[in-house]
Each structure stands twice: as structure tokens, then as C-alpha cells.
């Protein structure tokens, strides 16, 4: 995961208060994750880190687009991304379990690796069903599927596997 080392914030020497960081999430970022729904992307990320004595609050602002496959027609398209997230990191020397809102770090920590959080935030921002956006008239803008292309794959009754005949008799 060599490209992911760019998504690290070292906070040890920072003063208490707000600090701003800018990142660019590009194709090489998504290539590091093997089974990603996102093939490529171009996202500008602003991170506002608020440092306190016992915790860090990270506000993420994502803007850009990702390239993914349409669930209806299978063609690739660019899906716009514009959202924000918040992550709270608390320092604790005791063994505590992370929650959805809070992640615990040992007091000796000096940096936070953001790559996995960024990947998860982008994927969670995508809808369950990804389809091409509708055109101006509200019609789907998916590619028309030519059904004639699939005629070659259609099985006729003559080509059917004879083992299915025995199962049909059970009906």
C-alpha cells in the first residue's frame, strides 16, 4: 500500500486548535483496494483537524467524482461526490472498544492514518444502486441494451442438460 502513505497526518507537534490539510484522492488511491466498487476517482479533500488535550476531531469535506459501473446497463460512468464526515479520536491508555463515532488511540500515538477511513467514507456515500443520472426530461440515460446480442447465449430446449429432465419429473 505504497500510495496510501500520503494520507497520514502527524499531529504530535501541532498546537491546540484548528489545522487545515488538503489532499487529492486520485486513481492510484482506489487501485490500492482490491475489491472496490470505485474504479477511478478525482476527489478534492479538505480535512480540518481540531486538536484538544485528550482528543482530535477531524472534519472531512469531499468534492469531486468517482468512476464506477452502472448497475442497470454495466457501462462505466462518473458519479458526483459532495459530502462531509466527522471522526473523533480520543486518547486512552486503557483498552477500549471503538464505536461508530469514536476511535480510541493510545496516548503515545503521534499520527493518524486516514486511508482506510477515506475509502470507507467514499463507499458509504455511494447509493446502494448506482445508475446513470437521469437526463433533463427525467428519463434514464443508460445505454440501450441490444437484446439481439444475447440471443447467442439463449439455450434452446434441445440443448438443455438431460439431468434437468429428472428434476422436472419431480414437479
Amino acid at each position: 500500500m505504497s500510495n496510501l502513505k500520503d494520507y497520514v497526518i502527524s499531529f504530535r507537534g501541532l498546537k491546540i486548535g484548528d489545522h487545515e490539510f488538503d489532499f487529492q484522492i486520485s486513481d492510484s488511491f482506489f487501485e490500492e483496494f482490491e475489491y472496490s466498487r470505485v474504479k477511478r476517482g478525482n476527489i478534492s479533500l479538505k480535512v480540518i483537524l481540531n486538536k484538544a488535550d485528550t482528543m482530535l476531531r477531524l472534519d472531512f469535506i469531499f468534492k469531486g467524482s468517482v468512476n464506477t459501473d452502472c448497475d442497470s446497463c454495466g457501462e462505466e460512468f462518473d458519479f458526483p461526490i459532495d459530502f462531509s464526515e466527522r471522526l473523533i479520536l480520543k486518547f486512552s491508555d486503557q483498552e477500549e472498544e471503538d464505536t461508530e463515532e469514536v476511535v480510541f488511540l493510545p496516548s503515545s500515538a503521534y499520527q493518524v492514518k486516514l486511508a482506510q477511513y477515506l475509502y470507507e467514507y467514499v463507499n458509504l456515500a455511494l447509493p446502494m444502486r448506482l445508475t446513470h443520472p437521469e437526463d433533463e426530461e427525467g428519463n434514464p440515460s443508460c445505454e440501450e441494451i441490444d437484446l439481439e446480442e444475447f440471443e447467442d447465449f439463449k439455450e434452446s430446449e434441445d440443448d438443455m442438460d438431460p439431468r434437468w429432465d429428472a428434476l422436472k419429473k419431480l414437479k
Side-chain angles (χ1 to χ4, degrees), residues 107-118:
S107 297
S108 61
Y110 63 94
Q111 68 182 9
V112 59
K113 296 178 182 179
L114 300 176
Q116 187 64 40
Y117 298 113
L118 302 178

Side-chain angles (χ1 to χ4, degrees), residues 1 5-6 48 59 75 97 106 118 132 139 143 155 170:
M1 294 195 171
K5 66 181 180 228
D6 296 334
I48 301 169
D59 292 310
E75 295 292 321
E97 191 168 325
L118 302 178
H132 282 92
N139 298 320
E143 298 290 325
E155 291 184 332
L170 295 174

Side-chain angles (χ1 to χ4, degrees), residues 96 107 116 122 156:
E96 298 192 45
S107 297
Q116 187 64 40
V122 168
S156 67

Side-chain angles (χ1 to χ4, degrees), residues 13 30 35 46 48 60 75 78 91 107 114 123 128 156:
F30 294 105
Y35 298 107
K46 181 183 285 192
I48 301 169
F60 301 95
E75 295 292 321
D78 289 330
F91 300 111
S107 297
L114 300 176
N123 278 281
M128 291 283 287
S156 67

Side-chain angles (χ1 to χ4, degrees), residues 154-168 171:
K154 192 175 179 181
E155 291 184 332
S156 67
E157 292 292 324
D158 300 331
D159 296 338
M160 191 175 290
D161 190 335
R163 293 175 286 184
W164 290 107
D165 292 334
L167 291 173
K168 285 183 180 180
K171 284 186 179 180

